[in-house]
Amino acid sequence: MIMQLADSAFDSPRRRVLAVAAACHPDRGSEPGLGWAWIKALAERHDLWVIVGEREGNRPAIQRELRKNPMLREHLRIFFVPRPNPPRITRLCPPLYYRYYRQWHALAFAIARRLHDEIRFDVAHQINMIGYREPGYLWRLNLPFVWGPIDGVTNMPLRFWRILGIGGTAYYVVYNLINTWQRRFAPRVQQARARAGALAAASEGTQRLLRQLCNTQSHVIHDTGPVETGSAETKRPRDGEPLRLVWSGLHIPRKGLPILLHALRRLPTDTRVHVDILGGGPRTRAWQRLATRLGIHARLTWRGRLSKAEALDVMRAGHVFVITSLRDATSSVLMEALSLGLPVICLDHCGFTDVVTPACGIKIPLTHTDDVIAGFARVIADLAHKPDVVRDLSEGALERARTFSWRANASAMTELYEQAIAHWAA
């Protein structure tokens, strides 16, 4: 169950919080954007000292936000630790990537320990990265410890090998083996989990797995919240206008774009649909070649990597947002789509299961490749011929977005702080 807030969460004292956010950037999406959103929301309720990974020009962007916001200047102190990009070989060898990432956390911990000697914090919070396999080192401090939201516990469903491709399948065979071992036996993961006075899971599915696999209790606090998208209006294709779909994400196997490409190939010839594809990555050229082989390239516009503002403009011009991820958390782009009034078609999987309801989107059961492709094709064809249904779902998307709040996220996390502090004192 998603965490219900007790009255104490709203009248609890302002705590001195030591936090680590390895990814944090006010102007970016995904984990950096979510890291900043968490820090900003928590600073309204607590005094934060946050150790941040310095990367992608985030220092001047964060300093700019601090100058603009007196509340943040008063209650938030940022300590930057450079987090350089690891060598390219780490893309092929995840354990090597985590070796470099662990070294960054060791540097962050050295600063955390000095800060605690000086400040004497009330609670420590490992905010991100969201993946459970790198818990950092804050749990070693003589402090109540909160970890999360965390995700990444779920294995890749390898029955979708045709979508992943040969390289992607080989990668995720190894990934699943390592992941299965890590979530049960990795020493630092087990130590951090044992030391956590409170643990936040990013989805109900992750919460169930933590309970089943390691008998670990957690509270669901989604890793995302509403985003500032500017103007938003109800979507409905005009008469004679094609249904405009939008897909966005890294072009990597787990994002599953070939599901949509194959679904477009199965659409009836009288179905008018166009797709804007945002993002880029190592699979871009392969996916473009696939679209050509399927004979659907005329239905697609490959937008490439855009700034956040440019991406929102493309989404704002669309009618429906499509998510094909086979392994993900509750993506920040999902909240962007809902906030813009875009109904969502996605798999009934990952954090999407918790957020997307029949009022704001359509979820395709995670069965087998052909069934999933047929499901996407059926839903797209149906919506292309029923603009009034698109309008109703769009209204539901705007309403669903309004049910999420970073203030509520911060209140839920505050309750976990109090729980960890009480556990520590017991």
Side-chain angles (χ1 to χ4, degrees):
M1 294 296 291
I2 295 175
M3 187 171 182
Q4 300 296 314
L5 299 180
D7 291 340
S8 60
F10 297 94
D11 58 15
S12 57
R14 180 176 284 274
R15 297 294 188 179
R16 290 169 299 179
V17 181
L18 174 61
V20 165
C24 180
H25 200 304
D27 301 328
R28 295 189 180 272
S30 194
E31 287 223 49
L34 294 175
W36 174 252
W38 270 112
I39 289 169
K40 187 176 178 181
L42 289 168
E44 292 187 0
R45 303 186 62 92
H46 305 285
D47 295 324
L48 268 67
W49 286 254
V50 186
I51 301 168
V52 165
E54 184 176 359
R55 199 173 189 181
E56 299 176 321
N58 61 347
R59 182 193 286 257
I62 290 173
Q63 290 173 338
R64 181 195 67 229
E65 293 297 316
L66 292 175
R67 288 193 298 270
K68 291 193 313 187
N69 191 321
M71 182 278 293
L72 290 179
R73 289 201 303 274
E74 181 178 358
H75 298 294
L76 176 61
R77 295 161 182 81
I78 301 288
F79 300 85
F80 293 95
V81 178
R83 186 169 162 242
N85 290 319
R88 286 191 175 186
I89 192 174
T90 60
R91 298 178 185 177
L92 303 175
C93 183
L96 188 57
Y97 165 82
Y98 279 99
R99 176 184 175 186
Y100 283 90
Y101 186 35
R102 187 161 56 248
Q103 290 173 354
W104 181 87
H105 275 287
L107 295 174
F109 180 65
I111 294 174
R113 190 162 46 192
R114 291 198 300 270
L115 286 172
H116 183 46
D117 288 342
E118 176 186 347
I119 305 298
R120 310 311 296 176
F121 296 101
D122 297 311
V123 64
H125 181 190
Q126 177 73 25
I127 296 176
N128 72 9
M129 306 285 272
I130 191 174
Y132 79 93
R133 61 183 51 79
E134 182 44 72
Y137 293 97
L138 290 183
W139 53 272
R140 287 184 173 180
L141 295 172
N142 188 30
L143 265 176
F145 174 62
V146 174
W147 185 14
I150 64 170
D151 213 311
V153 181
T154 306
N155 281 343
M156 172 64 73
L158 293 175
R159 59 187 179 276
F160 289 90
W161 59 270
R162 285 163 48 198
I163 301 301
L164 297 172
I166 295 174
T169 299
Y171 176 93
Y172 279 107
V173 166
V174 176
Y175 173 93
N176 283 1
L177 289 172
I178 295 174
N179 196 45
T180 299
W181 178 85
Q182 284 181 320
R183 63 193 187 184
R184 287 181 178 272
F185 306 115
R188 283 198 308 118
V189 172
Q190 305 307 314
Q191 291 167 336
R193 197 163 57 210
R195 270 282 288 109
L199 189 66
S203 69
E204 293 188 48
T206 294
Q207 182 189 50
R208 285 193 298 271
L209 271 175
L210 288 171
R211 185 168 56 246
Q212 293 168 6
L213 295 172
C214 8
N215 196 30
T216 298
Q217 300 303 312
S218 60
H219 301 274
V220 176
I221 303 179
H222 290 296
D223 64 315
T224 188
V227 294
E228 296 179 2
T229 58
S231 61
E233 58 184 18
T234 302
K235 309 296 182 181
R236 184 191 186 280
R238 294 187 294 271
D239 292 344
E241 182 183 16
L243 181 71
R244 296 197 69 92
L245 307 176
V246 182
W247 185 98
S248 179
L250 288 172
H251 293 191
I252 54 178
R254 68 179 174 87
K255 295 296 185 178
L257 178 61
I259 291 174
L260 175 58
L261 301 182
H262 283 284
L264 295 173
R265 174 67 178 83
R266 297 192 184 193
L267 293 178
T269 55
D270 65 339
T271 304
R272 300 191 62 195
V273 170
H274 191 83
V275 186
D276 288 297
I277 299 174
L278 283 67
R283 298 299 296 165
T284 300
R285 291 186 179 179
W287 288 348
Q288 289 173 337
R289 290 194 296 268
L290 174 61
T292 299
R293 289 199 303 271
L294 293 173
I296 60 166
H297 60 281
R299 293 182 181 265
L300 310 176
T301 299
W302 300 83
R303 298 283 186 171
R305 298 179 187 269
L306 302 176
S307 69
K308 185 175 181 179
E310 292 170 331
L312 290 176
D313 284 342
V314 174
M315 293 172 65
R316 193 174 286 110
H319 301 128
V320 175
F321 195 78
V322 181
I323 299 175
T324 53
S325 293
L326 293 166
R327 198 187 131 270
D328 222 325
T330 309
S331 173
S332 59
V333 76
L334 169 60
M335 293 305 303
E336 291 172 353
L338 295 177
S339 298
L340 287 168
L342 288 170
V344 175
I345 308 172
C346 63
L347 288 167
D348 192 1
H349 187 46
C350 309
F352 315 128
T353 295
D354 302 344
V355 175
V356 178
T357 69
C360 69
I362 300 171
K363 294 180 285 192
I364 309 299
L366 187 74
T367 51
H368 298 281
T369 303
D370 286 338
D371 292 339
V372 165
I373 291 171
F376 274 91
R378 183 173 56 254
V379 169
I380 292 169
D382 191 49
L383 293 180
H385 291 94
K386 296 179 178 178
D388 289 343
V389 174
V390 175
R391 179 200 59 209
D392 292 343
L393 289 172
S394 177
E395 292 174 353
L398 291 170
E399 182 62 30
R400 182 60 171 158
R402 285 191 283 267
T403 67
F404 292 88
S405 156
W406 278 109
R407 180 163 293 181
N409 284 351
S411 294
M413 194 61 72
T414 292
E415 188 167 348
L416 292 196
Y417 289 172
E418 297 305 312
Q419 176 181 316
I421 291 168
H423 176 79
W424 180 263

